[in-house]
Amino acid sequence: RLANGHNPRRLSLAGDPLQTLNPTGFDWNRIKAMFRDAGVDKKHVETSKFHSNYRSQEYIVLLANAIQRHREKLFPGQKAIAMDSKRPAKSLPKLIRIANEGDRLAAKEAIKNSGLSEVIVICWAPDDAAIMELMTGENKDDILNEIWTEIPDDKEGDLHFRTKMLIHSSSSIKGGEYDAVLLYKFASSETARENLTSLKKKRSDINSVSMADKISVAYAYSRLYVAVTRA
Protein backbone atom coordinates (compact mmCIF):
# COMPACT_ATOMS: atom_id res chain seq x y z
CA ARG A 1 0.00 0.00 0.00
CA LEU A 2 2.89 2.38 0.72
CA ALA A 3 4.29 1.80 -2.75
CA ASN A 4 0.96 1.79 -4.60
CA GLY A 5 0.83 4.52 -7.22
CA HIS A 6 4.41 5.55 -6.62
CA ASN A 7 7.84 4.47 -7.77
CA PRO A 8 8.66 1.58 -5.38
CA ARG A 9 12.38 2.18 -5.98
CA ARG A 10 12.05 5.28 -3.79
CA LEU A 11 10.64 3.36 -0.82
CA SER A 12 13.12 2.40 1.91
CA LEU A 13 12.41 0.05 4.80
CA ALA A 14 14.57 -0.49 7.87
CA GLY A 15 14.46 -3.25 10.46
CA ASP A 16 16.49 -4.65 13.34
CA PRO A 17 17.26 -8.38 13.03
CA LEU A 18 18.67 -8.39 16.57
CA GLN A 19 15.26 -7.89 18.18
CA THR A 20 15.51 -11.32 19.77
CA LEU A 21 13.72 -10.93 23.10
CA ASN A 22 10.25 -10.52 21.65
CA PRO A 23 10.54 -11.83 18.07
CA THR A 24 8.00 -10.37 15.66
CA GLY A 25 8.30 -12.95 12.90
CA PHE A 26 9.28 -10.18 10.48
CA ASP A 27 11.06 -11.69 7.49
CA TRP A 28 13.02 -9.66 4.94
CA ASN A 29 12.74 -12.44 2.38
CA ARG A 30 8.94 -12.26 2.46
CA ILE A 31 9.05 -8.50 1.95
CA LYS A 32 11.44 -8.86 -1.00
CA ALA A 33 9.21 -11.55 -2.53
CA MET A 34 6.18 -9.24 -2.35
CA PHE A 35 7.96 -6.58 -4.40
CA ARG A 36 9.27 -9.11 -6.92
CA ASP A 37 5.79 -10.59 -7.32
CA ALA A 38 4.54 -7.08 -8.06
CA GLY A 39 7.01 -6.81 -10.95
CA VAL A 40 9.84 -4.86 -9.32
CA ASP A 41 13.20 -5.85 -10.76
CA LYS A 42 15.23 -8.10 -8.46
CA LYS A 43 18.20 -5.69 -8.35
CA HIS A 44 16.02 -3.00 -6.80
CA VAL A 45 14.84 -5.03 -3.80
CA GLU A 46 18.13 -6.21 -2.36
CA THR A 47 18.81 -5.53 1.31
CA SER A 48 21.84 -3.72 2.67
CA LYS A 49 23.31 -4.64 6.03
CA PHE A 50 23.98 -1.84 8.49
CA HIS A 51 25.72 -3.38 11.47
CA SER A 52 27.43 -0.36 12.99
CA ASN A 53 26.93 0.08 16.74
CA TYR A 54 26.89 3.69 17.90
CA ARG A 55 25.70 2.98 21.45
CA SER A 56 28.27 0.81 23.19
CA GLN A 57 32.00 1.05 23.66
CA GLU A 58 34.13 -1.51 21.85
CA TYR A 59 34.58 -4.03 24.68
CA ILE A 60 30.81 -4.27 25.19
CA VAL A 61 30.34 -4.85 21.46
CA LEU A 62 33.03 -7.56 21.44
CA LEU A 63 31.27 -9.33 24.32
CA ALA A 64 27.91 -9.06 22.55
CA ASN A 65 29.43 -10.42 19.32
CA ALA A 66 30.90 -13.38 21.24
CA ILE A 67 27.46 -14.18 22.69
CA GLN A 68 25.99 -14.08 19.19
CA ARG A 69 28.69 -16.38 17.78
CA HIS A 70 28.07 -18.95 20.50
CA ARG A 71 24.35 -18.68 19.78
CA GLU A 72 25.03 -19.33 16.09
CA LYS A 73 26.61 -22.69 16.95
CA LEU A 74 23.56 -23.67 19.01
CA PHE A 75 21.15 -22.68 16.25
CA PRO A 76 22.90 -23.42 12.92
CA GLY A 77 20.12 -21.87 10.85
CA GLN A 78 20.50 -18.49 12.53
CA LYS A 79 23.53 -16.64 11.23
CA ALA A 80 25.33 -14.53 13.84
CA ILE A 81 25.26 -10.80 13.26
CA ALA A 82 28.52 -9.22 14.39
CA MET A 83 28.51 -5.48 15.04
CA ASP A 84 31.23 -2.95 14.38
CA SER A 85 31.70 -0.55 17.29
CA LYS A 86 31.86 3.14 16.44
CA ARG A 87 32.88 4.09 19.98
CA PRO A 88 36.41 3.56 21.34
CA ALA A 89 37.24 0.88 23.89
CA LYS A 90 36.98 1.84 27.56
CA SER A 91 37.01 -0.44 30.61
CA LEU A 92 36.58 -4.18 30.24
CA PRO A 93 33.36 -5.79 31.50
CA LYS A 94 33.99 -7.13 35.01
CA LEU A 95 32.72 -10.23 36.80
CA ILE A 96 32.40 -9.39 40.49
CA ARG A 97 32.08 -12.00 43.22
CA ILE A 98 30.36 -11.14 46.51
CA ALA A 99 32.90 -12.83 48.79
CA ASN A 100 32.53 -11.05 52.12
CA GLU A 101 30.40 -8.61 54.08
CA GLY A 102 32.18 -5.62 52.58
CA ASP A 103 31.35 -6.82 49.08
CA ARG A 104 27.77 -7.45 50.13
CA LEU A 105 27.34 -3.93 51.49
CA ALA A 106 28.90 -2.45 48.35
CA ALA A 107 26.47 -4.41 46.16
CA LYS A 108 23.56 -3.30 48.33
CA GLU A 109 24.62 0.35 48.05
CA ALA A 110 24.98 0.09 44.28
CA ILE A 111 21.47 -1.36 43.94
CA LYS A 112 19.94 1.27 46.25
CA ASN A 113 21.50 3.98 44.07
CA SER A 114 20.43 2.41 40.78
CA GLY A 115 19.40 5.14 38.39
CA LEU A 116 20.60 7.90 40.73
CA SER A 117 24.15 7.50 39.46
CA GLU A 118 25.45 6.42 36.07
CA VAL A 119 24.71 2.74 36.83
CA ILE A 120 21.42 0.91 36.26
CA VAL A 121 20.69 -2.51 37.80
CA ILE A 122 19.26 -5.41 35.79
CA CYS A 123 18.39 -8.68 37.48
CA TRP A 124 17.61 -12.14 36.09
CA ALA A 125 13.83 -11.83 36.03
CA PRO A 126 11.51 -12.13 33.04
CA ASP A 127 9.15 -9.33 34.14
CA ASP A 128 8.14 -6.98 36.96
CA ALA A 129 6.18 -9.66 38.81
CA ALA A 130 9.30 -11.81 39.00
CA ILE A 131 11.27 -8.85 40.36
CA MET A 132 8.70 -8.49 43.14
CA GLU A 133 9.14 -12.17 43.89
CA LEU A 134 12.86 -11.60 44.32
CA MET A 135 12.08 -8.81 46.78
CA THR A 136 9.23 -10.27 48.80
CA GLY A 137 8.49 -13.82 47.62
CA GLU A 138 9.09 -17.18 49.23
CA ASN A 139 12.52 -17.51 47.60
CA LYS A 140 13.42 -13.83 47.99
CA ASP A 141 16.91 -12.49 47.45
CA ASP A 142 18.42 -11.37 50.76
CA ILE A 143 19.90 -8.09 49.52
CA LEU A 144 16.86 -7.06 47.46
CA ASN A 145 14.55 -7.89 50.36
CA GLU A 146 16.62 -5.81 52.77
CA ILE A 147 16.51 -2.83 50.44
CA TRP A 148 12.77 -3.22 49.96
CA THR A 149 12.05 -3.24 53.68
CA GLU A 150 14.27 -0.21 54.30
CA ILE A 151 12.56 2.04 51.73
CA PRO A 152 9.61 3.89 53.35
CA ASP A 153 6.15 3.75 51.78
CA ASP A 154 4.77 6.84 50.16
CA LYS A 155 1.72 8.66 51.57
CA GLU A 156 -0.75 6.36 49.84
CA GLY A 157 1.13 3.28 51.00
CA ASP A 158 1.52 2.23 47.39
CA LEU A 159 5.20 1.65 46.72
CA HIS A 160 6.31 0.63 43.26
CA PHE A 161 9.95 -0.44 43.12
CA ARG A 162 10.67 1.53 39.95
CA THR A 163 9.59 4.83 41.49
CA LYS A 164 11.95 4.45 44.47
CA MET A 165 14.64 2.13 43.15
CA LEU A 166 15.39 1.78 39.45
CA ILE A 167 15.79 -1.97 39.01
CA HIS A 168 14.87 -3.70 35.77
CA SER A 169 14.37 -7.05 34.12
CA SER A 170 15.66 -7.77 30.62
CA SER A 171 12.15 -7.13 29.31
CA SER A 172 11.55 -3.80 31.02
CA ILE A 173 15.02 -2.48 30.12
CA LYS A 174 14.54 -3.32 26.43
CA GLY A 175 15.22 -0.22 24.33
CA GLY A 176 16.92 1.63 27.19
CA GLU A 177 20.39 3.15 27.11
CA TYR A 178 22.56 3.80 30.18
CA ASP A 179 26.18 4.73 30.87
CA ALA A 180 26.78 1.45 32.71
CA VAL A 181 24.80 -1.61 33.75
CA LEU A 182 25.14 -3.89 36.76
CA LEU A 183 23.77 -7.36 36.05
CA TYR A 184 22.91 -8.46 39.57
CA LYS A 185 23.18 -12.23 40.21
CA PHE A 186 22.51 -12.68 36.50
CA ALA A 187 21.72 -16.25 35.44
CA SER A 188 22.19 -17.40 39.04
CA SER A 189 19.33 -19.93 39.04
CA GLU A 190 20.02 -23.57 38.24
CA THR A 191 17.78 -23.46 35.14
CA ALA A 192 19.50 -20.33 33.81
CA ARG A 193 22.93 -21.87 34.31
CA GLU A 194 21.87 -24.96 32.38
CA ASN A 195 20.49 -22.88 29.51
CA LEU A 196 23.68 -20.82 29.28
CA THR A 197 26.22 -23.55 30.01
CA SER A 198 27.47 -23.40 26.39
CA LEU A 199 28.99 -19.99 27.16
CA LYS A 200 31.67 -21.81 29.17
CA LYS A 201 32.66 -23.96 26.18
CA LYS A 202 35.00 -23.21 23.33
CA ARG A 203 33.00 -22.29 20.27
CA SER A 204 34.47 -25.26 18.36
CA ASP A 205 33.11 -27.65 21.03
CA ILE A 206 29.49 -26.41 20.93
CA ASN A 207 26.86 -28.66 19.33
CA SER A 208 23.43 -27.60 18.13
CA VAL A 209 20.78 -27.46 20.84
CA SER A 210 18.10 -30.17 21.06
CA MET A 211 14.54 -29.42 19.96
CA ALA A 212 13.33 -29.89 23.54
CA ASP A 213 15.63 -27.12 24.83
CA LYS A 214 15.48 -24.79 21.85
CA ILE A 215 12.99 -22.24 23.20
CA SER A 216 14.39 -21.99 26.74
CA VAL A 217 18.02 -21.72 25.59
CA ALA A 218 17.19 -19.11 22.93
CA TYR A 219 15.27 -17.03 25.47
CA ALA A 220 18.13 -17.19 27.99
CA TYR A 221 20.63 -16.05 25.36
CA SER A 222 18.31 -13.23 24.31
CA ARG A 223 17.91 -11.97 27.88
CA LEU A 224 21.67 -11.95 28.38
CA TYR A 225 22.31 -10.23 25.04
CA VAL A 226 19.71 -7.51 25.68
CA ALA A 227 21.02 -6.82 29.18
CA VAL A 228 24.66 -6.60 28.12
CA THR A 229 23.94 -4.23 25.23
CA ARG A 230 22.09 -1.62 27.33
CA ALA A 231 25.44 -0.09 28.34
Side-chain angles (χ1 to χ4, degrees):
R1 289 175 182 174
L2 287 169
N4 189 30
H6 303 281
N7 181 356
R9 288 180 59 185
R10 299 188 65 183
L11 178 66
S12 298
L13 304 175
D16 183 1
L18 294 182
Q19 293 290 342
T20 56
L21 197 57
N22 299 306
T24 62
F26 184 87
D27 187 347
W28 280 116
N29 290 327
R30 289 168 61 187
I31 301 297
K32 289 159 64 176
M34 289 170 60
F35 279 87
R36 291 173 183 172
D37 291 345
V40 181
D41 193 288
K42 178 181 177 180
K43 66 182 180 181
H44 297 315
V45 289
E46 290 305 306
T47 55
S48 298
K49 295 179 180 179
F50 184 69
H51 294 158
S52 297
N53 184 306
Y54 292 89
R55 171 194 287 154
S56 305
Q57 56 109 335
E58 186 177 358
Y59 288 135
I60 297 293
V61 174
L62 290 174
L63 176 57
N65 287 346
I67 293 171
Q68 288 294 88
R69 291 192 181 100
H70 270 60
R71 183 188 179 113
E72 181 184 40
K73 291 284 289 185
L74 292 167
F75 305 96
Q78 300 179 14
K79 186 171 178 58
I81 298 177
M83 297 178 290
D84 176 30
S85 177
K86 296 300 182 182
R87 299 186 66 183
K90 293 185 179 179
S91 59
L92 286 166
K94 297 176 178 64
L95 181 63
I96 302 170
R97 179 187 179 194
I98 301 176
N100 53 50
E101 184 61 18
D103 294 343
R104 185 180 180 280
L105 291 175
K108 180 179 175 182
E109 193 66 21
I111 296 170
K112 286 179 69 174
N113 289 307
S114 176
L116 299 177
S117 62
E118 62 184 16
V119 182
I120 192 77
V121 174
I122 311 173
C123 62
W124 187 261
D127 50 34
D128 288 358
I131 293 178
M132 284 303 303
E133 279 295 309
L134 289 174
M135 292 183 174
T136 62
E138 184 177 340
N139 297 315
K140 56 183 175 288
D141 178 82
D142 58 341
I143 294 179
L144 293 181
N145 179 252
E146 280 184 26
I147 296 172
W148 177 261
T149 55
E150 290 172 4
I151 298 177
D153 291 350
D154 59 18
K155 292 180 181 179
E156 287 75 29
D158 181 21
L159 174 62
H160 190 278
F161 59 84
R162 204 164 291 130
T163 64
K164 302 289 185 179
M165 175 177 57
L166 217 56
I167 187 168
H168 280 276
S169 66
S170 292
S171 297
S172 63
I173 199 71
K174 189 171 180 286
E177 296 181 351
Y178 296 90
D179 290 340
V181 297
L182 170 63
L183 308 188
Y184 175 65
K185 292 188 179 179
F186 223 67
S188 58
S189 70
E190 184 177 348
T191 301
R193 287 176 180 270
E194 289 177 358
N195 288 332
L196 294 172
T197 188
S198 54
L199 287 173
K200 297 187 293 182
K201 298 180 179 180
K202 291 183 179 180
R203 188 170 178 273
S204 58
D205 295 335
I206 299 175
N207 298 317
S208 58
V209 69
S210 67
M211 285 299 296
D213 298 327
K214 188 173 183 179
I215 293 177
S216 60
V217 172
Y219 186 48
Y221 261 79
S222 294
R223 286 164 70 181
L224 176 62
Y225 181 85
V226 167
V228 165
T229 55
R230 296 311 93 195

